[in-house]
Amino acid sequence: MSHFNDFNNPQVAALPGHLKQFIVDQHYEHYTPIDHAVWRYVMRQNYSYLKDVAYYPYIPGLTKAGLTIERIPDLQEMNNALAKIGWGAVTVDGFIPPAAFMEYQAYRVLVIAADIRQLKHIEYTPAPDIIHESAGHAPIIADKDYHEYLSYFGSIGAKAMFSAQDFELYEAIRALSILKEMPDADEEEIKKADELVTYRQENMGEPSEMALLSRLHWWTVEYGLIGTLDQPKIYGAGLLSSIGESSSCMNPEVEKLWYTIDALKYSYDITKPQPQLFVTPTFQNLINVLEEFANTMSFRRGGAYGLTKAVESKNTCTAVYSSGLQVSGTITEFKVDKHDNPYFIKTTGPTILAVDNKLLKGHGKDHHKDGFSSPVGKLKNADLPLEDLSADQLKDLGIIVGVQAKLDFESGVTVNGTVKNILSSTEKIQLITFTNCTVTDKKGHILFDPSWGGYDMAVGEKIVSVFCGAADKEAFEEIVYKSKTETHHADYDWKTRELHKLYQQVRNCRLKQGDYGFLGNVWQKLQHDHHDDWLCALEILEMLEHEHIEPALTAEIRQFLGQKATDEPELKKLISDGFYLIAHPVEQNLVF
């Protein structure tokens, strides 16, 4: 994307470069009159049903998010509205990697898939679409406790360790969702893609932190209920945007459980209705459960536990020393003493050193292009950890710039070389650089040889935190892996373009309350050339009935739709729900 549109929204403007790469233009002009009709149908259904089961006042929530029932939201309008509550919104191409999705949440930006589901998937789509993201997630954003939870979740999720398997599953799910939304997808290909998702879901091994967090996300943000077990209300976006499941989920067959840390034990399948749902008494409880889980995560535990997760992840991770020094790269090896405390760590490939998530000058990927290794721990002959020593205490140990020094660590690692530079900040020493330096372990094995160049020794008694991704993402140019599969965009044939015109004429007639007599012509054309359409016919019927005109035409269309509901069982609920909406219109003063 050559230009970056921040919609004059401070949250969007503040996004870092590695997140901006996922943003695509909304291309509002690509939405067809059928797309707008699909949006309107789903939103009217949502309102009609959700006003009784949704936790929050649905329509005021829509207004606060800059949405209307009549047409697909324009991103600028959404950003104008969301800015008032300290949020923003951007459009992306389908599923993006979980870590990036989490980070957007931490920046308080809603990620919205720019596409909208096809008419044939009006009840449920496996692909993320603008209905799910904006009608599901956006209206509740105005609730302060809830949006605090969402951004806090994002900041924790952005640090979660993910495994190589998580990544493969993400790719498989993305590919399947794209195929399913393709008008001309080959059934055999869909079947294969489906099997791959199932296979990968069943062979995930021990679930990673990201996999476990995504369960908490699923059972709250996507499928959460709030209130009491016997009379819960819906707040999860997956339920709010599925006109099928938002009603079926209240059936007693769907078990309702209190939301606690135990929700971690329940995996989920994105292609099937949920067998059980979790009810939280308050949004604060969501934060408490998340906090309980965060305390078990590598970024809070550090040590050998965190380093093991980093090695398994095979991705860029950051190890944080107790001095505040952050080492970001692919961690491939570490050594522990008999108390399981790490005393040596090693990365392979490009590595950066940072403090406070900002690159240390001169310690970027070019300087450490082949990896980095360093001891961890205390010196044998010092009472205090090395990072806490004053200039005088360093002098007493012979650690003086320009002088050769020998550092003996409790672990048996020895560093012997000429001190070139001592780097410190925030009253702690983070790095000592040596020239002509040899590093050996307690058995005398060479860990660093002078011929390899200068030696940068990280300083710190412990590894206090390990998290996924780089500390300074911009310096690492973290191209959070971007998928090569692009979502499909249709080319419309002549006949479909004709149908678009008919939908547009009906829309114009409704908005301008214009020449209703013209609807008879549209109906004739639909009958003649587009016999399988039902939604346009339903919109014509709605106007004729509300205006009490042309009773013969009204009866003819009603009969046609009734017959269609009988002949095509998959349309039965959609058409009868449409009839219900005509009889019980959404109050017009709420449809701005």
Side-chain angles (χ1 to χ4, degrees):
M1 211 175 90
S2 49
H3 65 295
F4 173 65
N5 180 0
D6 63 16
F7 304 101
N8 288 330
N9 178 298
Q11 303 308 122
V12 177
L15 287 171
H18 69 277
L19 290 181
K20 286 179 185 166
Q21 64 171 336
F22 292 105
I23 298 172
V24 297
D25 289 326
Q26 184 182 20
H27 286 300
Y28 198 82
E29 72 285 358
H30 287 182
Y31 298 124
T32 68
I34 297 181
D35 293 337
H36 286 290
V38 165
W39 169 273
R40 179 175 182 267
Y41 176 91
V42 173
M43 294 304 282
R44 284 163 65 241
Q45 286 292 358
N46 275 352
Y47 178 63
S48 158
Y49 176 69
L50 293 173
K51 65 181 192 302
D52 304 320
V53 296
Y55 161 68
Y56 51 91
Y58 196 71
I59 291 286
L62 290 178
T63 318
K64 284 182 179 159
L67 304 176
T68 71
I69 282 183
E70 187 58 48
R71 61 184 175 84
I72 295 169
D74 166 64
L75 225 63
Q76 185 61 62
E77 290 166 12
M78 282 191 77
N79 273 295
N80 296 347
L82 288 169
K84 296 185 180 123
I85 49 175
W87 280 69
V90 294
T91 37
V92 298
D93 179 27
F95 277 114
I96 64 170
F101 182 81
M102 293 290 178
E103 227 185 322
Y104 273 106
Q105 261 177 229
Y107 279 95
R108 298 186 176 229
V109 173
L110 275 184
V111 181
I112 296 174
D115 296 318
I116 185 163
R117 62 195 66 179
Q118 298 171 63
L119 181 49
K120 66 177 182 192
H121 293 155
I122 192 165
E123 288 188 271
Y124 174 77
T125 165
D129 81 332
I130 194 158
I131 294 182
H132 168 76
E133 311 287 351
S134 43
H137 290 287
I140 190 173
I141 285 281
D143 185 296
K144 189 173 177 313
D145 288 344
Y146 181 76
H147 76 216
E148 292 297 332
Y149 170 65
L150 211 54
S151 59
Y152 186 52
F153 199 110
S155 60
I156 285 173
K159 288 191 154 80
M161 289 291 187
F162 58 86
S163 66
Q165 289 95 317
D166 289 338
F167 225 86
E168 290 169 357
L169 178 64
Y170 155 70
E171 270 295 306
I173 288 174
R174 180 178 161 92
L176 173 67
S177 72
I178 290 171
L179 268 177
K180 281 193 169 171
E181 278 296 302
M182 271 188 181
D184 46 2
D186 172 21
E187 284 307 313
E188 196 45 44
E189 264 193 77
I190 290 184
K191 191 167 161 277
K192 275 213 237 68
D194 225 332
E195 284 164 0
L196 185 62
V197 169
T198 308
Y199 173 78
R200 287 190 174 164
Q201 263 172 339
E202 286 166 1
N203 293 279
M204 290 297 284
E206 188 65 26
S208 68
E209 289 179 355
M210 187 58 100
L212 292 172
L213 260 181
S214 73
R215 290 178 186 179
L216 295 186
H217 200 265
W218 184 263
W219 298 125
T220 60
V221 175
E222 295 296 354
Y223 280 85
L225 301 173
I226 184 167
T228 60
L229 288 185
D230 43 349
Q231 278 193 312
K233 298 276 195 206
I234 298 175
Y235 71 88
L239 291 173
L240 291 172
S241 60
S242 157
I243 50 185
E245 207 169 349
S246 56
S247 64
S248 62
C249 77
M250 289 303 176
N251 296 343
E253 296 79 79
V254 180
E255 195 185 358
K256 313 296 185 294
L257 306 167
W258 283 118
Y259 179 68
T260 66
I261 194 85
D262 284 349
L264 283 175
K265 297 177 187 149
Y266 294 79
S267 61
Y268 58 88
D269 178 345
I270 68 161
T271 61
K272 299 189 176 72
Q274 312 310 313
Q276 78 284 309
L277 293 170
F278 294 87
V279 183
T280 186
T282 58
F283 286 140
Q284 182 55 46
N285 177 54
L286 302 183
I287 293 181
N288 300 348
V289 169
L290 178 59
E291 190 57 20
E292 195 178 333
F293 180 66
N295 286 334
T296 71
M297 288 170 64
S298 299
F299 84 98
R300 290 199 180 159
R301 283 176 68 173
Y305 175 84
L307 291 169
T308 303
K309 295 279 184 213
V311 171
E312 285 168 4
S313 152
K314 300 186 174 62
N315 278 286
T316 304
C317 290
T318 299
V320 186
Y321 279 78
S322 45
S323 64
L325 182 74
Q326 297 164 314
V327 178
S328 300
T330 304
I331 299 170
T332 45
E333 194 191 324
F334 65 95
K335 299 175 190 290
V336 293
D337 62 21
K338 55 178 185 291
H339 303 298
D340 210 29
N341 294 319
Y343 68 82
F344 184 79
I345 67 167
K346 181 175 187 310
T347 69
T348 303
T351 301
I352 66 167
L353 306 183
V355 172
D356 276 338
N357 302 324
K358 287 278 171 284
L359 178 73
L360 285 179
K361 201 167 174 297
H363 292 280
K365 281 159 75 167
D366 299 340
H367 185 63
H368 301 287
K369 59 180 186 297
D370 304 318
F372 177 84
S373 68
S374 188
V376 184
K378 283 175 79 172
L379 294 177
K380 270 185 186 154
N381 45 358
D383 300 332
L384 288 172
L386 180 52
E387 66 244 53
D388 293 329
L389 299 181
S390 66
D392 288 343
Q393 290 167 315
L394 286 174
K395 218 174 256 168
D396 294 345
L397 291 170
I399 303 172
I400 303 158
V401 174
V403 176
Q404 180 160 356
K406 181 164 179 272
L407 280 62
D408 290 312
F409 285 85
E410 288 178 344
S411 61
V413 170
T414 300
V415 177
N416 195 340
T418 303
V419 178
K420 183 181 169 192
N421 188 21
I422 300 171
L423 185 115
S424 60
S425 67
T426 61
E427 299 183 8
K428 290 205 180 265
I429 298 167
Q430 276 110 11
L431 198 69
I432 301 178
T433 302
F434 295 87
T435 54
N436 195 18
C437 183
T438 304
V439 183
T440 53
D441 68 9
K442 62 171 180 252
K443 291 183 176 156
H445 298 142
I446 297 280
L447 300 175
F448 190 88
D449 184 281
S451 66
W452 301 351
Y455 183 67
D456 294 301
M457 186 189 85
V459 175
E461 185 191 4
K462 295 186 183 79
I463 298 296
V464 291
S465 172
V466 183
F467 58 84
C468 225
D472 184 337
K473 290 183 162 63
E474 302 304 288
F476 211 85
E477 300 149 37
E478 213 172 62
I479 298 303
V480 196
Y481 171 88
K482 235 180 127 177
S483 183
K484 311 255 182 311
T485 28
E486 299 250 330
T487 50
H488 172 85
H489 292 286
D491 289 319
Y492 299 108
D493 58 19
W494 177 83
K495 195 176 169 191
T496 309
R497 290 201 299 272
E498 281 294 289
L499 182 59
H500 289 168
K501 280 185 193 146
L502 299 177
Y503 269 86
Q504 188 60 48
Q505 287 166 343
V506 172
R507 169 169 290 266
N508 293 347
C509 186
R510 182 175 61 246
L511 294 179
K512 301 186 174 93
Q513 287 154 2
D515 174 7
Y516 295 109
F518 182 71
L519 294 171
N521 296 351
V522 178
W523 165 245
Q524 291 307 326
K525 269 212 159 91
L526 279 175
Q527 279 292 281
H528 193 266
D529 298 325
H530 307 280
H531 208 262
D532 37 353
D533 176 83
W534 59 274
L535 184 54
C536 193
L538 196 62
E539 289 201 330
I540 295 174
L541 180 67
E542 180 193 339
M543 272 187 279
L544 296 176
E545 295 220 350
H546 289 173
E547 297 301 322
H548 308 294
I549 49 176
E550 305 213 36
L553 181 57
T554 305
E556 187 185 330
I557 299 178
R558 193 169 261 281
Q559 205 236 321
F560 162 81
L561 286 166
Q563 191 58 49
K564 211 170 197 34
T566 309
D567 297 345
E568 302 178 45
E570 69 279 11
L571 296 179
K572 189 176 175 188
K573 182 178 188 304
L574 291 165
I575 290 173
S576 61
D577 285 351
F579 285 164
Y580 178 87
L581 279 176
I582 292 174
H584 308 87
V586 171
E587 293 91 332
Q588 287 307 313
N589 63 340
L590 294 173
V591 187
F592 2 91

